[in-house]
Each structure stands twice: as C-alpha cells, then as structure tokens.
Amino acid sequence: MAGTATAAAPASGSVSLPVKVINGEAYVKATSLTAALGGTGTYDKASQTYKYTPADVPSVIKQVAPSVVAIIGKPDAAGGRFELAHGTGVIIKADGLIVTNAHVVQDMTRIVVVTADGKEYEGTRKQIDATSDLALVQIKASGLKPAKFAASPLKVTVGEPAIAIGTPVSFSLRNTATVGVISGLNRSISDDYNLLQTDAAINPGNSGGPLVNMKGEVVGINSMKFVDVDIDSMGFAIPADTVQYVLNQFAKYGKVMRPSLGLELEESWSAVVGLPTEEPMTVTAVVSAEAQAAGFKTGDQIYAVGGKQIATLVELSELLKSYLPGGKIAVTALADGDLVSRQVVLTKSLS
C-alpha cells in the first residue's frame, strides 16, 4: 500500500514524501529523502545500515561554487584603467552558457569571465533583457558544471536558509558566500516582476550570482539593481521561475516576447503605497489599435485579466508570462458605469 510520510525539513517546516506500507511499516526511498531535504546518504551493505547526513552550509557552498563565475569588464564610460565594472554569473550549460544580470554586462566593452578554478575566458553577450534584468554570456569552454535551478513554480518559505555566492565590492573577493534566510516573497519594488527578499548580504558585485537553498538549488539570481547601498540586511533576487521564463524565451525566440494589453495603467493609491487592495487599475491611455478596437477608453477601470483579479502592474506582468503577443485574453472592466468583459488581442510590449 502506498501513501505519504512527513519529515522535518531543516528550518523550513516539513515535507511530504511518498511511502510504501508493508506489514504496517512505512518505507521511504532514500533518494526521495535526499531529493526533498538535500544532504547525502550512503548504504553500508555489510552492516545493512543507511547513513543520512543532512545538508550544511559548507557542503552546499562546495556543491554550488563550481557553477558560479566572476565577470569583469571595462564599461564604455570608464575613464581609467582601474575603473572596472564587475559582477557574478551562474553557469547554466556545460559548454559555457552563463546567466547574469543585464545591468552587469550591458555596458561592458570587454567581458572577462573567471571560473571557480581560476581560469579566464573571454565572454560574449548573447541576449539581454533589461526589463527582467537578465542576460546571457557565452564563453568557449567545455565540461563546466551547470547549476541546478529550483523547479517552477518556485516553492520557498519565509525563514528558510538562503546562501548567496558572488563577487562583492572587489574582484579579488570572488566566490564570497553570505548566509541568511528568505525574508519575504512576492516583493513588488518595480513595475515588472515579483522578487525574493533575503537578509543574506547582497553587495555591489553580487549582481548576477545565485541565491541557493539547502538542497543546492538556485532559487534566485541576486540583483544589486534592487538594493540601496545604505540599507542593511535587505537584498533582492529574481526568482528562479522568472529566470526560467526568460531563458526559455531566449532559447525559443532569441529575445523575450513580452505581451501587453496595449493600455497604460495607473495603480490605485493603496497599491502604490503597498496596502492590501482589490481596487482596480485605471486606464490612462489606449496605446494599441487592438485595445482601441476592443473598446477600451481612458478612464476605464480594469478589475480582472484572464479571469484573475488584479490590482497592480506586477500582478499583470506575472499573469502575462503565460501568454504571447498575438494571443487573445479576456479583460473585465468598468466602463461608463457598466461591468463588461472584452476580448483583446495582446500586442508586443515596448519594454
């Protein structure tokens, strides 16, 4: 008979594991245990015992560090030989494909990538998406160790341990690790996508590096773009599912095919200041012929898109990840005092 068993996960509540019940005893696969909780396990045939060693911070860093690179280059605006920009990247393919932040490499005229073993490579920008702050860099290498990304949709818990690895402040400090917790989820500090918040130190140069869980999975790509240097213990990372969304778009189309309703929208006062709200967004301009053809006018109030109630621009951006330009979507709006449902053809976003 099959069922589930619950095991405590380090500092993050519990997880449910598949079990088989034989003669009243519940049996869990050892591989299920290590997959769910991280750590390692070994079976001793002579003693017929299984030794499970929970994941600890040093072992996670050792596991992930070979997949982290340092990136340095000279920006266009630099005036001297020592005015160098630098950041961090994460290997996603063994042949040298690396994901980093867009703001790290967008102005670099010469990109140098240094792997964890100290080897230097010339890097080439492949794709860049400023809206998500993600970019791809290619180096000519083989046999590199790709990082493992957490599955989508991302499942993380406030309070669970988080480790950031990167190149803070100085290029000589590459492969620096800092430890903290996931401090918050679905943080909306821009008009684009939700972010993860962490108290693991995110300093200049950490941009583009991984935020990992205790299973050694990348749960986010750290971004100094969303951090103020005068604020302590408040870092932000682009969630792994947003990273995968952008990478999939790069792979399929060479760029992010980001859809738009063809409307300029204004959030309510409550949404702007961060209060929980169900107040609708207001149309301030109709910018596409498709939206105009659907009947939208300035002053309409948007309550739901694709059957889901939305109140913020970030909620709209997250929802539209599942769509492409040219597709149709239902929009529920208040127009001239009437609640109406309109089908609108999505256009390509200009951002």
Side-chain angles (χ1 to χ4, degrees):
M1 183 175 67
T4 60
T6 299
S12 60
S14 61
V15 295
S16 294
L17 306 173
V19 303
K20 284 190 176 181
V21 178
I22 302 174
N23 296 328
E25 293 287 343
Y27 293 88
V28 176
K29 276 188 175 181
T31 51
S32 298
L33 179 68
T34 54
L37 303 182
T40 58
T42 55
Y43 173 66
D44 187 329
K45 186 175 181 180
S47 62
Q48 292 189 330
T49 58
Y50 180 81
K51 181 180 180 181
Y52 171 67
T53 303
D56 56 19
V57 171
S59 65
V60 173
I61 295 171
K62 183 178 180 180
Q63 174 186 345
V64 178
S67 302
V68 182
V69 301
I71 301 173
I72 191 168
K74 189 173 183 178
D76 291 333
R81 61 183 297 192
F82 297 113
E83 295 181 23
L84 300 173
H86 75 275
T88 309
V90 179
I91 298 168
I92 58 173
K93 288 190 177 181
D95 64 358
L97 192 61
I98 295 161
V99 65
T100 185
N101 284 149
H103 77 264
V104 169
V105 297
Q106 61 187 1
D107 294 326
M108 285 185 177
T109 55
R110 177 173 177 264
I111 299 172
V112 176
V113 175
V114 179
T115 52
D117 58 5
K119 294 180 180 178
E120 294 185 22
Y121 299 87
E122 181 179 349
T124 303
R125 273 188 305 270
K126 288 201 65 179
Q127 284 100 11
I128 193 164
D129 181 61
T131 299
S132 63
D133 193 29
L134 292 169
L136 286 178
V137 171
Q138 181 74 59
I139 61 175
K140 293 181 179 179
S142 61
L144 301 180
K145 181 182 179 182
K148 180 180 180 182
F149 280 75
S152 299
L154 182 64
K155 295 180 180 178
V156 292
T157 305
V158 173
E160 73 172 87
I163 303 168
I165 304 176
T167 314
V169 183
S170 168
F171 200 71
S172 63
L173 300 179
R174 57 189 180 274
N175 299 96
T176 292
T178 56
V179 182
V181 298
I182 299 294
S183 305
L185 310 175
N186 301 326
R187 296 309 199 201
S188 302
I189 62 170
S190 70
D191 290 343
D192 302 312
Y193 299 112
N194 285 322
L195 299 171
L196 295 177
Q197 182 182 339
T198 180
D199 66 348
I202 307 295
N203 291 295
N206 275 112
S207 291
L211 187 70
V212 301
N213 60 20
M214 293 302 291
K215 292 190 284 183
E217 297 172 333
V218 177
V219 297
I221 295 295
N222 301 316
S223 180
M224 191 66 192
K225 180 180 178 181
F226 303 112
V227 183
D228 190 301
V229 294
D230 296 323
I231 298 175
D232 294 328
S233 302
M234 188 180 293
F236 294 93
I238 304 161
D241 44 11
T242 296
V243 178
Q244 294 288 14
Y245 162 71
V246 172
L247 295 182
N248 289 339
Q249 292 271 313
F250 282 163
K252 290 180 180 179
Y253 310 110
K255 58 184 177 180
V256 179
M257 298 288 286
R258 189 173 285 108
S260 168
L261 293 178
L263 304 171
E264 290 185 6
L265 299 170
E266 182 180 73
E267 296 176 338
S268 68
W269 177 85
S270 296
V272 169
V273 300
L275 290 172
T277 183
E278 295 181 355
E279 295 179 42
M281 291 188 288
T282 301
V283 176
T284 58
V286 180
V287 297
S288 77
E290 290 84 353
Q292 188 174 17
F296 289 102
K297 296 179 181 179
T298 300
D300 288 354
Q301 294 183 306
I302 306 300
Y303 280 86
V305 177
K308 295 183 179 180
Q309 186 172 356
I310 60 169
T312 68
L313 293 169
V314 170
E315 289 175 351
L316 177 61
S317 294
E318 290 287 342
L319 185 151
L320 290 179
K321 284 181 183 176
S322 301
Y323 295 84
L324 287 170
K328 286 187 177 181
I329 195 167
V331 179
T332 302
L334 186 68
D336 298 324
D338 295 324
L339 199 63
V340 297
S341 180
R342 295 169 174 158
Q343 291 283 333
V344 63
V345 177
L346 294 167
T347 59
K348 189 179 185 307
S349 174
L350 298 178
S351 63

